Amino acid sequence: MAKFDLSDDSVVVVIGSGAGGGTLGNELAQKGVKVVCLEAGKRLDWQSDFVNDEWTMFGKTAWLDARTTSGDWRVAKDFSGLPAWICKTVGGSTLHWAGASLRIQEHEFAALSNYGAVDGANLMDWPLTLKDLEPYYDKAEDKMGVTRTNGIPGLPGNNNFKVMEAGAKRLGYKNVHSGRMAINSEARDGRASCLQLGFCFQGCRTGAKWSTLYTEVPKAEATGNYELRPEAHVLKVEHDKNGKVSGVLYADKNGAQHIQKARVVCVAGNSIESPRLLLNSASNMFSDGLGNSSGQVGRNYMRHMTGSVYATFDKPVNMHRGTTMAGIITDESRHDTSRGFVGGYEMETLSLGVPFMAAFLNPGAWGSEFAADMDEYNHMAGMWLVGEDMPRESNRITLNSDVKDQYGLPAPNVHFDDHDNDMAMRNHAFKQGSAVYEAAGATKTIETPPYPSTHNLGTNRMSAKASDGVVNKWGQSHDIDNLFVSDGSVFTTGASENPTLTIVTLAIRQADYIAEQMGKSNI
Amino acid sequence: MKKPTITRRKFLQSGTLTATAALALVTSGAGLKAQTWTLSTVELTKHEAATLLAACRQFYPHDGLGDLYYAVCVESLDGKAAADKGVSSTLKEGVKTLDGHFSMAFVDLSDGNQLEAIKAMDGTAFFGAVRGDIVVSLYNNPLVWRHFGYEGPSFDDGGYLDRGFDDIGWLRQN
């Protein structure tokens, strides 16, 4: 592994090592670009630190720094200090992601054109199209080993999938399969084949699921162009008198502060920390925060329309056995306003173990009805509903000066109000999800409200015009040429698909652009 | 998984056994006769502990689970109370309120009246502290998982690939 000097101003600093930052850093290092990756979390060893235990792994991986919430979303009431369930570790949220890898659809990239303006929503077309991204989607799918692409077979369906599939087919759904998953259905790229452990959210103990922790990061280190500094929490992005970013201030694991000089800075801290960092980097020259001349930094926070349906059956299902999310119905992910809303949603298998089921089935619930539902645990099947939510300027990350983090910096407040479209879609999805299970013979269906957000999007949105957003179609700041954003916060709209594949795709594409621009000495 | 720290030998020497230690003993496979454990608290009185034990069962009533598992929850609460005076006073005051609801000790109330007394406390710090703690301490217990048919960790057994991940046989195919 390379080691770069703090004063080395020829390096690209990448903040974060998850799907976006981890991929970008490796892609740059492969091209010979020198990269320092600053990761706030620890480096876990997947072979010794990962255990099949929900709360233990939550404690080891979750981002638990101070955060506050507001708005009418139920998460603000049920989990007021935990708006999002994302990871603070090397590998970021690729440790706990489920592996679902779907391309955003053509019509979703042009949401405003296709849906029309929606009251109370800030819809916009992406400054790029599916066609622009297709070659990069190809590369991402190959890199991640996505099943049902590149000749990779689908994963075998588990019990939970078989229940969903039986109901879906009886209901007339056509597009039902075990998913496009970045989980090996056969050994590939030095990683093992899935053993159906059932703890996809707890860090994959076999390494069958793609995570930057044991793919991108070690591959980058092997180039000799890449230095990873774990437990390096970036506090501020600094700039010079010409308004170019010049380095970053970070705290190491002992709390000692350092400045790493940089030629280029790429922010990939997920959609809460990335805008927070830009806002916390305000200076005399950029009094509203870095890259924020549009005032859009932190706005248009999206978290996907989500919800879950669990159903109980007379006979056992044992949904906990096997891959958590290897099962999908895509029929509802179309744009069809006859359903009473714009955009669409996916239906994906989901299971939780007893510890998390108790906490999330109906947060705050207690008493005999709840206990009776829990008693049905091994007779339950479950699905997650994930769809496009509306970007709203008022749904945003702001700095909460009343609450400070461990470094004395204002904590992020996450404000979210459900849009009517989100509620209409969730209502439809609850009905359809229940109908699937009823068609399979369910004795009872349970509608579960959204969990803390795992899909955090949109707070540094990509736009064609500088006045409409934070970054251009390359993820480059409209205001500062050598400042980039490299995570899901660049999403212009949310689309209905799980976002990781697109984050990786954009990072691969961005690496080409950054290397090219550096080569031309434009940055 | 944390290995139990108590050995059968230690148990025999000590003579009494807390619910938490009893649970560790059962987990170790050493076996445990009925009624050989005692609900043991440091900060909470016997009466407070007994009241919370009954309250825990009202929160998450599973007839298939013996008091041992609920007692572990009370010991977890006691541990928090011993470490934090604020928690301690919240719990102690809460027990008084439960006892005062019908001017009768909560433990002597009928099932329905116990439920009513707890419902009346919804929204209080006591209610939140107790429910929030036991929803973890009760359901995060591998012995309790058996009751629900949850088989838990699978890596050491090679996952569920050869242990029934797709063994469902009752679905009608059309």
Side-chain angles (χ1 to χ4, degrees), chain A residues 283-300:
Chain A
S283 64
N284 287 335
M285 191 182 286
F286 300 109
S287 57
D288 294 329
L290 283 192
N292 195 23
S293 66
S294 63
Q296 292 291 309
V297 170
R299 293 187 184 271
N300 311 302

mmCIF file of all heavy atoms in Angstrom, chain A residues 283-300:
data_model
loop_
_atom_site.group_PDB
_atom_site.id
_atom_site.type_symbol
_atom_site.label_atom_id
_atom_site.label_comp_id
_atom_site.label_asym_id
_atom_site.label_seq_id
_atom_site.Cartn_x
_atom_site.Cartn_y
_atom_site.Cartn_z
ATOM 1 N N SER A 283 -17.133 29.282 4.278
ATOM 2 C CA SER A 283 -16.001 30.189 4.522
ATOM 3 C C SER A 283 -16.453 31.609 4.155
ATOM 4 O O SER A 283 -17.592 31.803 3.720
ATOM 5 C CB SER A 283 -14.822 29.781 3.646
ATOM 6 O OG SER A 283 -15.181 29.951 2.278
ATOM 7 N N ASN A 284 -15.552 32.574 4.291
ATOM 8 C CA ASN A 284 -15.903 33.933 3.878
ATOM 9 C C ASN A 284 -16.265 33.981 2.407
ATOM 10 O O ASN A 284 -17.205 34.665 2.001
ATOM 11 C CB ASN A 284 -14.729 34.889 4.144
ATOM 12 C CG ASN A 284 -14.599 35.150 5.641
ATOM 13 O OD1 ASN A 284 -15.577 35.042 6.386
ATOM 14 N ND2 ASN A 284 -13.387 35.471 6.075
ATOM 15 N N MET A 285 -15.504 33.241 1.613
ATOM 16 C CA MET A 285 -15.747 33.254 0.162
ATOM 17 C C MET A 285 -17.029 32.492 -0.196
ATOM 18 O O MET A 285 -17.770 32.882 -1.092
ATOM 19 C CB MET A 285 -14.547 32.627 -0.568
ATOM 20 C CG MET A 285 -14.565 32.828 -2.062
ATOM 21 S SD MET A 285 -13.155 32.023 -2.898
ATOM 22 C CE MET A 285 -11.800 33.098 -2.481
ATOM 23 N N PHE A 286 -17.276 31.382 0.544
ATOM 24 C CA PHE A 286 -18.471 30.555 0.268
ATOM 25 C C PHE A 286 -19.319 30.500 1.537
ATOM 26 O O PHE A 286 -19.292 29.504 2.273
ATOM 27 C CB PHE A 286 -18.047 29.146 -0.164
ATOM 28 C CG PHE A 286 -17.205 29.104 -1.407
ATOM 29 C CD1 PHE A 286 -15.849 28.789 -1.353
ATOM 30 C CD2 PHE A 286 -17.772 29.379 -2.650
ATOM 31 C CE1 PHE A 286 -15.065 28.743 -2.503
ATOM 32 C CE2 PHE A 286 -16.993 29.327 -3.815
ATOM 33 C CZ PHE A 286 -15.637 29.020 -3.739
ATOM 34 N N SER A 287 -20.039 31.575 1.788
ATOM 35 C CA SER A 287 -20.683 31.713 3.103
ATOM 36 C C SER A 287 -21.845 30.743 3.305
ATOM 37 O O SER A 287 -22.242 30.452 4.439
ATOM 38 C CB SER A 287 -21.160 33.158 3.300
ATOM 39 O OG SER A 287 -22.028 33.505 2.240
ATOM 40 N N ASP A 288 -22.417 30.208 2.210
ATOM 41 C CA ASP A 288 -23.521 29.241 2.356
ATOM 42 C C ASP A 288 -23.044 27.794 2.256
ATOM 43 O O ASP A 288 -23.851 26.875 2.141
ATOM 44 C CB ASP A 288 -24.579 29.487 1.267
ATOM 45 C CG ASP A 288 -25.255 30.830 1.447
ATOM 46 O OD1 ASP A 288 -25.373 31.284 2.606
ATOM 47 O OD2 ASP A 288 -25.647 31.434 0.425
ATOM 48 N N GLY A 289 -21.748 27.611 2.278
ATOM 49 C CA GLY A 289 -21.206 26.263 2.126
ATOM 50 C C GLY A 289 -20.569 26.100 0.766
ATOM 51 O O GLY A 289 -20.876 26.846 -0.176
ATOM 52 N N LEU A 290 -19.694 25.102 0.646
ATOM 53 C CA LEU A 290 -18.998 24.881 -0.623
ATOM 54 C C LEU A 290 -19.950 24.367 -1.691
ATOM 55 O O LEU A 290 -20.782 23.507 -1.433
ATOM 56 C CB LEU A 290 -17.885 23.839 -0.440
ATOM 57 C CG LEU A 290 -16.586 24.259 0.229
ATOM 58 C CD1 LEU A 290 -15.540 23.159 0.028
ATOM 59 C CD2 LEU A 290 -16.085 25.585 -0.295
ATOM 60 N N GLY A 291 -19.786 24.890 -2.891
ATOM 61 C CA GLY A 291 -20.559 24.380 -4.023
ATOM 62 C C GLY A 291 -22.046 24.670 -3.918
ATOM 63 O O GLY A 291 -22.864 23.994 -4.538
ATOM 64 N N ASN A 292 -22.384 25.682 -3.124
ATOM 65 C CA ASN A 292 -23.807 25.891 -2.826
ATOM 66 C C ASN A 292 -24.348 27.208 -3.382
ATOM 67 O O ASN A 292 -25.250 27.799 -2.800
ATOM 68 C CB ASN A 292 -24.012 25.822 -1.306
ATOM 69 C CG ASN A 292 -25.486 25.649 -0.928
ATOM 70 O OD1 ASN A 292 -26.285 25.174 -1.742
ATOM 71 N ND2 ASN A 292 -25.825 26.044 0.287
ATOM 72 N N SER A 293 -23.830 27.665 -4.501
ATOM 73 C CA SER A 293 -24.359 28.929 -5.052
ATOM 74 C C SER A 293 -25.832 28.787 -5.436
ATOM 75 O O SER A 293 -26.576 29.757 -5.453
ATOM 76 C CB SER A 293 -23.532 29.373 -6.261
ATOM 77 O OG SER A 293 -23.699 28.447 -7.318
ATOM 78 N N SER A 294 -26.246 27.565 -5.738
ATOM 79 C CA SER A 294 -27.657 27.335 -6.113
ATOM 80 C C SER A 294 -28.564 27.264 -4.891
ATOM 81 O O SER A 294 -29.787 27.299 -5.021
ATOM 82 C CB SER A 294 -27.773 26.010 -6.871
ATOM 83 O OG SER A 294 -27.388 24.941 -6.013
ATOM 84 N N GLY A 295 -27.973 27.117 -3.709
ATOM 85 C CA GLY A 295 -28.790 26.910 -2.505
ATOM 86 C C GLY A 295 -29.399 25.518 -2.428
ATOM 87 O O GLY A 295 -30.260 25.251 -1.595
ATOM 88 N N GLN A 296 -28.942 24.604 -3.309
ATOM 89 C CA GLN A 296 -29.553 23.269 -3.370
ATOM 90 C C GLN A 296 -28.830 22.227 -2.515
ATOM 91 O O GLN A 296 -29.303 21.098 -2.381
ATOM 92 C CB GLN A 296 -29.611 22.783 -4.822
ATOM 93 C CG GLN A 296 -30.575 23.581 -5.704
ATOM 94 C CD GLN A 296 -32.026 23.360 -5.323
ATOM 95 O OE1 GLN A 296 -32.487 22.233 -5.204
ATOM 96 N NE2 GLN A 296 -32.762 24.448 -5.117
ATOM 97 N N VAL A 297 -27.659 22.579 -1.951
ATOM 98 C CA VAL A 297 -26.953 21.598 -1.116
ATOM 99 C C VAL A 297 -27.834 21.221 0.075
ATOM 100 O O VAL A 297 -28.300 22.091 0.812
ATOM 101 C CB VAL A 297 -25.590 22.141 -0.622
ATOM 102 C CG1 VAL A 297 -24.982 21.217 0.441
ATOM 103 C CG2 VAL A 297 -24.626 22.299 -1.791
ATOM 104 N N GLY A 298 -28.055 19.947 0.242
ATOM 105 C CA GLY A 298 -28.867 19.452 1.354
ATOM 106 C C GLY A 298 -30.342 19.323 1.027
ATOM 107 O O GLY A 298 -31.085 18.666 1.757
ATOM 108 N N ARG A 299 -30.782 19.929 -0.080
ATOM 109 C CA ARG A 299 -32.218 19.874 -0.414
ATOM 110 C C ARG A 299 -32.553 18.635 -1.254
ATOM 111 O O ARG A 299 -31.675 17.932 -1.704
ATOM 112 C CB ARG A 299 -32.611 21.132 -1.187
ATOM 113 C CG ARG A 299 -32.529 22.414 -0.339
ATOM 114 C CD ARG A 299 -33.096 23.587 -1.121
ATOM 115 N NE ARG A 299 -32.952 24.834 -0.405
ATOM 116 C CZ ARG A 299 -33.856 25.313 0.466
ATOM 117 N NH1 ARG A 299 -34.960 24.636 0.723
ATOM 118 N NH2 ARG A 299 -33.655 26.464 1.068
ATOM 119 N N ASN A 300 -33.839 18.446 -1.450
ATOM 120 C CA ASN A 300 -34.345 17.337 -2.281
ATOM 121 C C ASN A 300 -33.929 15.976 -1.723
ATOM 122 O O ASN A 300 -33.673 15.025 -2.473
ATOM 123 C CB ASN A 300 -33.851 17.477 -3.736
ATOM 124 C CG ASN A 300 -34.088 18.860 -4.278
ATOM 125 O OD1 ASN A 300 -35.219 19.330 -4.304
ATOM 126 N ND2 ASN A 300 -33.019 19.547 -4.676
#
